[in-house]
């Protein structure tokens, strides 16, 4: 298509993917065009107006600055129950509440140090005796205003919260070490925050280090669509040093600034609802739980239901451990009196009577039982039917590939497919095997995981099974895109699941002329079956996937060989066998 000088509006920054869509070209083509102009960019990377203008000019368009604000991107993730509840409150009863902040970031970038530094700068905490008891949340004061921090290690709890639709935070502080830059968990955290629709502030940490390189980090952030404010973008990037306790009040200021631009309100007189932050079993005190109140005012003596736990609050304390009678919205409260351990991320509510609490808990326990029997899965197979019913309008994907070079063409292909009635959202695309975090992200966002030339780690597979997350592995790009295309058209063939039959270890390798290599093996688990599929592993690497060309016990061709027996194995069109290799035999069964 040629533009013939048609005007098109472009924003100040635009990611390649969107730019490609505007000019109706493939992102790859745009990337190539940019390369010939000396600009290296990946598909998710933004380019500025001037650069974009040059590209569109090549297709005969004239770029003009966009007049109106950029249309909001399609939002992912559900609105959590407590937010829905607050939205339903009478507007005149809503009052401002402290913002709730969670700190995310790559390991060792300084999350813990920053949380400690923020806590220590608070004078009030010092006056209260500097109790450093860890209850999973604390509050600090900045110029007379309060900020609540969730002090949960790593982002596991944040994910857990989101997975349960509770979404505790109003603001995410993303810690990025200035000497290390954007790393895989940084990207993961960005994906989480975006999916949860929580604004991100970047704490550029470790600026005291001699090898700190803030400009490089800003460039990397811009590549993640977090364009720093001093580059004309929307993201506040605050240089800090958790170690030297520098920049902390700037960070708090930034949090309050973002909070002022977000509707952070609740009704202190409304129904009491909130999120369980942490819970532990104390030998003498029983269940001690940290609750974050999100609406209403929690009081000692209230009857609380959280998940399948309930009880009357016997004692309540603030985050310093000081007794407290009332907890207003955004206040963390340490409570005793629950019958059972709730899970982090569970929603709690206050009910009028013990009986009501028991009824809710029984109902929930039944529902959980029923649900685990049904195990609703977001699979590609379900997608079309839920689309037909009007339930799904977009397909969320988590993409993992062996190398960066594979990710871009796959995203490019997926983008083409997503132009129909169902949009495709790639929430997260990274290199590496599929891990537990990927499954958590997929589960929280009802996404499907696509792996290209990668494996799913054992723990991840187990978690995917438990969470009902569809994990699909591919070695050929068109197979992957074909599946997605079929799913979008509702034509997907039934899913097959792998059932492992057994394993054998290669003891010795024989060369036989005309035949090639034969592995002398011992079956160490289950059985090998001649018509089964084979996967051969060398350490953690998979060196072969395919079929047997022969299976012999002593001199005879056999249909199967069981544990403890030795056998000779030939692999179809494959001869690079070494002793010590492990041969796995499996069959594909149609999923029920
Ligand atoms: P986390 O894994 O993100 O919680 O990171 P930690 O808070 O445990 O910090 C990791 C390491 O970085 C520790 O050795 C800290 O002492 C160090 N560190 C954290 N913040 C800073 C900082 O601002 N400057 C310097 N030089 N080191 C820091």
């Amino acid at each position: 298509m040629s533009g013939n000088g048609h005007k098109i509006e472009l924003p100040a920054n635009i990611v390649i993917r969107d730019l490609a869509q505007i000019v109706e070209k493939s992102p790859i083509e745009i990337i190539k065009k940019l390369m010939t102009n000396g600009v290296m960019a990946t598909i998710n990377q933004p380019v500025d107006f001037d650069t974009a203008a040059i590209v569109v000019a090549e297709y005969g368009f004239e770029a003009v600055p966009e007049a109106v604000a950029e249309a909001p991107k399609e939002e992912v993730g559900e609105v959590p129950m407590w937010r829905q509840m607050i939205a339903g409150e009478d507007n005149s009863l809503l009052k401002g509440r402290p913002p709730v902040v969670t700190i995310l970031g790559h390991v060792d970038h300084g999350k813990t140090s920053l949380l400690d530094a923020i806590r220590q700068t608070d004078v009030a905490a010092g006056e209260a005796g500097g109790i450093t008891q860890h209850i999973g949340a604390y509050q600090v004061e900045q110029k007379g205003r309060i900020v609540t921090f969730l002090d949960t290690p790593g982002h596991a709890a944040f994910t857990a919260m989101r997975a349960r639709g509770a979404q505790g935070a109003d603001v995410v502080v993303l810690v990025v070490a200035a000497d290390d830059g954007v790393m895989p968990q940084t990207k993961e955290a960005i994906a989480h925050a975006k999916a949860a629709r929580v604004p991100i502030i970047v704490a550029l940490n470790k600026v005291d280090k001699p090898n700190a390189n803030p400009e490089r980090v800003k460039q990397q952030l811009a590549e993640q669509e977090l364009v720093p404010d001093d580059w004309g973008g929307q993201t506040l990037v605050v240089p800090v040093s958790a170690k030297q306790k520098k920049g902390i009040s700037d960070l708090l200021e930034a949090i309050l600034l973002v909070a002022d631009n977000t509707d952070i309100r609740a009704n202190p007189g409304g129904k009491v609802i909130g999120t369980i932050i942490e819970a532990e079993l104390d030998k003498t005190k029983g269940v001690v739980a940290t609750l974050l109140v999100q609406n209403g005012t929690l009081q000692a003596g209230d009857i609380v239901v959280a998940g399948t736990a309930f009880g009357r609050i016997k004692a309540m304390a603030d985050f310093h451990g000081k007794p407290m009678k009332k907890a207003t919205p955004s206040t963390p409260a340490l409570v005793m009196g629950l019958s059972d351990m709730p899970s982090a991320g569970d929603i709690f509510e206050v009910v009028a009577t013990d009986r009501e609490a028991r009824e809710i808990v029984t109902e929930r326990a039944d529902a959980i039982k029923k649900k685990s029997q049904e195990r609703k899965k977001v699979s590609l197979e379900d997608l079309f039917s839920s689309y037909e019913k009007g339930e799904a309008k977009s397909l969320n994907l988590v993409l993992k590939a062996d190398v960066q070079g594979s990710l871009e063409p796959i995203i490019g292909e997926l983008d083409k497919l997503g132009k129909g009635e169902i949009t495709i959202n790639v929430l997260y695309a990274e290199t590496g095997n599929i891990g537990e975090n990927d499954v958590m992200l997929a589960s929280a966002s009802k996404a499907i995981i696509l792996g290209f030339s990668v494996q799913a780690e054992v723990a991840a597979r187990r978690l995917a099974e438990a969470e009902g997350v569809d994990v699909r592995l591919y070695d050929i790009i068109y197979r992957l895109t074909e599946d997605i295309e079929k799913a979008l058209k509702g034509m997907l063939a039934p899913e097959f699941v792998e059932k492992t039959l057994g394993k054998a270890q290669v003891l010795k390798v024989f060369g036989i002329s005309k035949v090639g290599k034969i592995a002398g093996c011992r079956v160490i688990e289950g059985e090998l079956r001649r018509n089964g599929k084979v996967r051969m592993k060398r350490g953690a690497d998979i060196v072969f996937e395919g079929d047997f060309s022969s299976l012999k016990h002593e001199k005879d061709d056999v249909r199967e060989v069981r544990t403890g027996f030795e056998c000779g194995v030939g692999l179809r069109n494959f001869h690079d066998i070494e002793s010590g290799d492990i041969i796995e035999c499996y069959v594909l069964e149609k999923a029920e």
Side-chain angles (χ1 to χ4, degrees):
M1 170 175 150
S2 159
N4 296 328
H6 282 317
K7 289 190 176 162
I8 43 175
E9 290 189 350
L10 291 178
N13 288 285
I14 182 165
V15 292
I16 305 292
R17 183 205 307 262
D18 298 342
L19 185 60
Q21 227 163 21
I22 289 177
V23 293
E24 296 184 12
K25 298 287 168 196
S26 85
I28 305 298
E29 196 179 322
I30 304 291
I31 289 167
K32 283 191 191 147
K33 271 264 164 3
L34 285 168
M35 266 161 72
T36 55
N37 283 297
V39 179
M40 301 295 280
T42 59
I43 187 155
N44 284 318
Q45 204 167 319
V47 289
D48 60 16
F49 177 84
D50 294 338
T51 312
I54 295 170
V55 173
V56 300
E58 299 225 15
Y59 297 110
F61 293 102
E62 185 194 337
V64 290
E66 196 176 59
V68 287
E70 221 179 321
K73 285 208 144 190
E74 202 197 329
E75 293 171 333
V76 287
E78 287 166 27
V79 178
M81 181 172 131
W82 63 274
R83 283 207 199 278
Q84 286 177 25
M85 235 199 70
I86 293 170
E89 291 271 8
D90 178 349
N91 207 32
S92 67
L93 300 174
L94 293 181
K95 295 218 163 63
R97 59 178 175 82
V100 176
V101 180
T102 188
I103 297 192
L104 304 179
H106 196 71
V107 63
D108 276 349
H109 279 198
K111 295 179 292 294
T112 317
S113 310
L114 189 61
L115 277 161
D116 288 347
I118 296 167
R119 189 203 300 251
Q120 284 162 25
T121 49
D122 188 48
V123 188
E127 281 170 354
I131 297 170
T132 50
Q133 181 186 16
H134 182 103
I135 69 156
Y138 66 79
Q139 292 187 309
V140 292
E141 217 180 289
Q142 168 77 2
K143 298 204 178 126
R145 297 175 65 185
I146 292 186
V147 181
T148 303
F149 283 89
L150 297 181
D151 189 1
T152 47
H155 59 238
F158 182 68
T159 316
M161 275 188 198
R162 250 179 33 72
R164 292 177 182 81
Q167 192 194 36
D170 301 303
V171 177
V172 162
V173 168
L174 179 69
V175 179
V176 186
D179 61 338
D180 201 22
V182 169
M183 299 302 277
Q185 286 167 19
T186 319
K187 292 184 191 169
E188 233 174 74
I190 295 170
H192 277 306
K194 283 194 176 157
R197 293 183 287 184
V198 179
I200 300 174
I201 293 176
V202 175
L204 190 56
N205 192 29
K206 306 198 187 184
V207 287
D208 58 284
K209 285 196 141 185
N211 56 343
N213 190 347
E215 289 308 304
R216 192 182 119 234
V217 181
K218 284 181 189 174
Q219 173 64 42
Q220 293 172 333
L221 288 168
E223 284 163 19
Q224 301 300 315
E225 297 180 39
L226 294 180
V227 183
D229 55 328
D230 54 351
W231 288 20
Q234 302 283 328
T235 307
L236 296 180
V237 178
V238 187
V240 297
S241 165
K243 193 171 181 178
Q244 299 181 342
K245 304 196 175 49
K246 290 211 173 112
I248 306 298
S249 58
D250 293 344
L251 182 63
L252 292 170
E253 284 292 323
I255 291 168
L256 290 169
L257 195 67
V258 169
D260 286 339
N261 286 310
T262 320
D263 191 26
I264 301 181
R265 295 188 300 167
N267 176 7
K271 181 164 170 51
V272 188
I273 187 166
T275 303
I276 302 288
I277 303 298
E278 265 186 14
E280 61 173 33
L281 197 58
D282 185 285
K283 271 197 212 113
T284 52
K285 296 178 191 152
V287 175
V288 180
T290 305
L291 277 58
L292 176 73
V293 179
Q294 284 160 318
N295 195 56
T297 299
L298 184 68
Q299 307 198 26
D302 279 348
I303 299 165
V304 168
V305 185
T308 52
F310 71 101
R312 186 181 289 271
I313 298 181
K314 286 194 292 198
M316 188 156 88
D318 67 8
F319 66 96
H320 295 307
K322 280 198 296 194
M324 170 169 75
K325 288 212 172 70
K326 287 182 177 177
T328 48
S330 296
T331 307
L334 198 62
V335 309
M336 282 184 278
L338 287 178
S339 58
D340 222 337
M341 284 278 281
S343 311
D346 276 350
I347 292 277
F348 73 84
E349 60 188 310
V350 166
V351 296
T353 60
D354 225 34
R355 201 167 124 206
E356 197 181 332
R358 271 176 219 282
E359 276 170 13
I360 294 176
V361 166
T362 317
E363 223 170 82
R364 280 190 190 157
D366 289 348
I368 290 170
K369 216 160 124 195
K370 201 164 152 228
K371 201 170 161 200
S372 73
Q373 284 157 355
E374 289 172 5
R375 233 189 65 235
K376 179 92 186 86
K377 189 164 151 153
V378 193
S379 71
L380 272 184
E381 286 75 17
D382 297 334
L383 176 76
F384 190 71
S385 62
S386 59
Y387 172 62
E388 277 190 320
K389 283 187 229 140
E391 290 165 6
K393 291 212 167 37
S394 63
L395 169 61
N396 290 339
L397 298 175
V398 170
L399 181 63
K400 297 297 289 271
D402 51 346
V403 288
Q404 192 70 29
S406 321
L407 284 174
E408 285 154 24
I410 294 174
I411 295 175
E413 289 299 314
L414 289 173
D415 259 12
K416 283 190 212 154
L417 294 176
K419 283 191 179 156
E421 289 170 282
I422 307 183
T423 56
I424 293 182
N425 275 327
V426 179
L427 295 178
Y428 179 63
E430 211 22 77
T431 54
N433 278 339
I434 297 162
E436 281 177 292
N437 286 335
D438 299 314
V439 179
M440 285 305 272
L441 175 60
S443 167
S445 327
K446 295 208 169 61
I448 286 163
I449 302 181
L450 302 179
F452 180 75
S453 291
V454 293
Q455 296 297 313
E457 286 162 11
V458 180
R461 258 187 262 175
R462 232 178 270 138
L463 188 64
E465 181 73 17
E467 297 276 323
V469 171
D470 197 4
V471 178
R472 292 177 167 252
L473 303 176
Y474 300 89
D475 285 319
I476 301 172
I477 294 185
Y478 80 79
R479 287 259 158 76
L480 183 157
T481 49
E482 207 175 65
D483 262 13
I484 300 295
E485 193 173 6
K486 282 182 184 164
L488 295 181
K489 290 183 182 153
M491 305 189 316
L492 206 71
E495 191 186 1
F496 287 91
V497 290
E498 197 178 301
K499 185 178 161 209
T500 305
L501 295 178
K503 282 183 193 163
Q505 183 164 32
V506 179
L507 305 175
K508 207 161 184 258
V509 184
F510 306 93
I512 296 176
S513 56
K514 293 211 181 102
V515 176
K517 291 275 172 24
I518 293 292
C521 306
R522 175 177 288 123
V523 181
I524 52 176
E525 213 180 286
E527 61 178 34
L528 299 191
R529 206 180 283 169
R530 174 69 173 82
N531 59 4
K533 306 286 284 178
V534 196
R535 175 179 300 133
M536 191 165 83
K537 285 190 178 161
R538 189 165 300 153
D541 298 333
I542 294 178
V543 287
F544 173 75
E545 285 255 22
D547 301 298
F548 290 107
S549 59
S550 66
L551 181 64
K552 286 179 193 272
H553 177 58
E554 293 178 343
K555 292 246 169 328
D556 306 322
D557 282 307
V558 287
R559 291 228 306 259
E560 65 209 15
V561 184
R562 291 174 190 279
T563 312
F565 290 96
E566 295 193 352
C567 55
V569 169
L571 300 176
R572 179 162 298 157
N573 301 325
F574 188 82
H575 304 288
D576 171 25
I577 307 170
E578 288 179 10
S579 70
D581 287 350
I582 297 289
I583 289 176
E584 283 178 12
C585 180
Y586 64 93
V587 285
L588 293 173
E589 286 184 345
K590 210 167 136 180
E592 67 315 331

